[in-house]
Amino acid sequence: EPEVTQTPSHQVTQMGQEVILRCVPISNHLYFYWYRQILGQKVEFLVSFYNNEISEKSEIFDDQFSVERPDGSNFTLKIRSTKLEDSAMYFCASSYITGLFFGSGTQLSVL
Amino acid sequence: AQSVTQLGSHVSVSEGALVLLRCNYSSSVPPYLFWYVQYPNQGLQLLLKYTTGATLVKGINGFEAEFKKSETSFHLTKPSAHMSDAAEYFCAVSGRSGNEKLTFGTGTRLTIIP
């Protein structure tokens, strides 16, 4: 069964450092998303991406965040200068028509 | 704007008992509704979804949910709980273009008592 793959599963970084979270969406999907889940809180939408551009972003997705689809398979989330409050589980998702399929997440810890 | 309310952040049921997880939504447009399950240290797995048609939808692992427009509800049920059902369950809503973002509820942690 096709699945969304995220790497790494865990990432530890120092405050102020740049991190790149990587995702390989399901191959025939057209829409791509990043969500995050701070420990004990709800899953929050960050950004959606379609046709090589951002289609929607939340207030969380400020200038420190960026997304890219550098080739036909990868979808990345970059945080330029991490803050303590960026510590969370980050989920990538993709969809074709209805229903998002999520990866298993990257646990980001900012020290 | 859309929102989801899940009543009960923690629910405990005995093995073999009925599971009922409550979800109410608010949406200015006809919604699509979803239930996702998250097992410990794993991602979100789609359990079931309502888009159009039959209001009672069946999902994986014996779960089902009924869309009740008059009550703005989409409660998740399973007739007989198994130990393996212990997980966090999230209700979510989106608009009807299909590719719209999901808005999640705060989740309900289901514990199964042996």
Side-chain angles (χ1 to χ4, degrees):
Chain A
E1 186 176 326
E3 60 181 18
V4 176
T5 305
Q6 288 187 245
T7 55
S9 56
H10 293 85
Q11 174 89 48
V12 180
T13 190
Q14 296 290 324
M15 191 169 56
Q17 294 297 303
E18 175 184 286
V19 294
I20 297 176
L21 309 183
R22 303 181 190 278
C23 171
V24 179
I26 295 173
S27 62
N28 65 333
H29 285 188
L30 303 175
Y31 304 93
F32 313 109
Y33 310 81
W34 284 100
Y35 286 76
R36 79 173 185 189
Q37 184 182 28
I38 295 172
L39 186 64
Q41 298 185 25
K42 67 165 69 176
V43 179
E44 301 174 291
F45 168 76
L46 292 179
V47 65
S48 58
F49 193 86
Y50 171 71
N51 201 25
N52 284 320
E53 61 182 24
I54 291 173
S55 50
E56 188 174 357
K57 59 183 180 179
S58 71
E59 293 178 353
I60 303 167
F61 195 87
D62 62 21
D63 292 344
Q64 291 300 311
F65 292 86
S66 63
V67 289
E68 259 193 333
R69 188 158 163 81
D71 53 40
S73 60
N74 291 285
F75 180 51
T76 62
L77 174 69
K78 181 193 291 186
I79 309 175
R80 286 191 186 81
S81 177
T82 50
K83 308 182 187 70
L84 295 176
E85 55 265 36
D86 293 328
S87 294
M89 178 74 88
Y90 288 80
F91 292 107
C92 174
S94 67
S95 72
Y96 180 66
I97 299 177
T98 57
L100 274 62
F101 290 82
F102 286 82
S104 55
T106 294
Q107 180 65 56
L108 177 65
S109 298
V110 182
L111 306 178
Chain B
Q2 296 170 319
S3 66
V4 173
T5 302
Q6 290 184 242
L7 291 175
S9 58
H10 292 85
V11 170
S12 296
V13 302
S14 298
E15 191 175 14
L18 171 72
V19 176
L20 171 60
L21 304 183
R22 299 178 186 275
C23 172
N24 288 89
Y25 69 91
S26 172
S27 178
S28 56
V29 298
Y32 285 166
L33 294 157
F34 307 83
W35 275 100
Y36 283 84
V37 60
Q38 185 180 29
Y39 297 103
N41 302 314
Q42 295 188 28
L44 297 160
Q45 182 181 7
L46 180 64
L47 265 182
L48 49 79
K49 63 183 179 184
Y50 168 77
T51 54
T52 57
T55 55
L56 180 63
V57 292
K58 295 185 186 298
I60 61 172
N61 302 337
F63 284 92
E64 60 184 36
E66 186 171 10
F67 170 59
K68 292 187 177 180
K69 183 179 177 181
S70 61
E71 298 177 8
T72 61
S73 69
F74 191 59
H75 302 329
L76 182 71
T77 60
K78 182 175 180 177
S80 177
H82 293 170
M83 295 301 295
S84 59
D85 294 327
E88 186 107 21
Y89 291 80
F90 293 92
C91 183
V93 63
S94 78
R96 288 201 157 199
S97 72
N99 58 313
E100 290 189 31
K101 67 178 184 182
L102 294 177
T103 299
F104 283 87
T106 50
T108 297
R109 182 167 298 279
L110 177 64
T111 300
I112 310 299
I113 303 166

